[in-house]
Amino acid sequence: MPEQQPQAQPNELHVDAGWKQQAEREKEELAKKVGDAKTAAEPLRSSPSAGPSPRPADAEEKKRILPAASFELLVQQHVTAILLALGHLPDPAGGRSAVDLDLARLYIDLLILLREKTRGNRTESEERLITAAVYEMQMAYVKARK
């Protein structure tokens, strides 16, 4: 008789022990393929008509340092989107300010939704931040509508 494997319970975590080794093997194979492709493409890069080859060191030097994800950053992101939609900030792509009241209203509604859904889970400083942000953005919206 074949041996039966135990059935996992619905709330029990099933861990495949070999997944890390498999992932490492796949990663090494991919690195080999990429390395071989880079070696094969190297003569093309050095030809005069191909132009200057990008240096990997330049890419590393230009790495951006991003802030840590936080509630404050999420609120700030919504406030920035509202200010853009109200024309208080220039559009990063075109450099011009444009007013889109419908978009501003959407982002204010999202900020209010964020406030409602996080009620009871915020620190005192987060509470002050979201309360002030909602109030200020609503007042800016009302002013823009006039």
Side-chain angles (χ1 to χ4, degrees), residues 32-47:
K32 267 188 205 176
K33 287 179 185 177
V34 170
D36 291 345
K38 283 182 181 177
T39 305
E42 200 58 43
L44 295 175
R45 283 197 195 128
S46 61
S47 69

Side-chain angles (χ1 to χ4, degrees), residues 13-32:
L13 180 64
H14 175 72
V15 178
D16 181 9
W19 73 269
K20 278 188 177 180
Q21 288 130 353
Q22 178 64 26
E24 284 299 319
R25 280 193 301 272
E26 290 173 2
K27 185 178 173 182
E28 288 170 6
E29 288 172 13
L30 181 60
K32 267 188 205 176

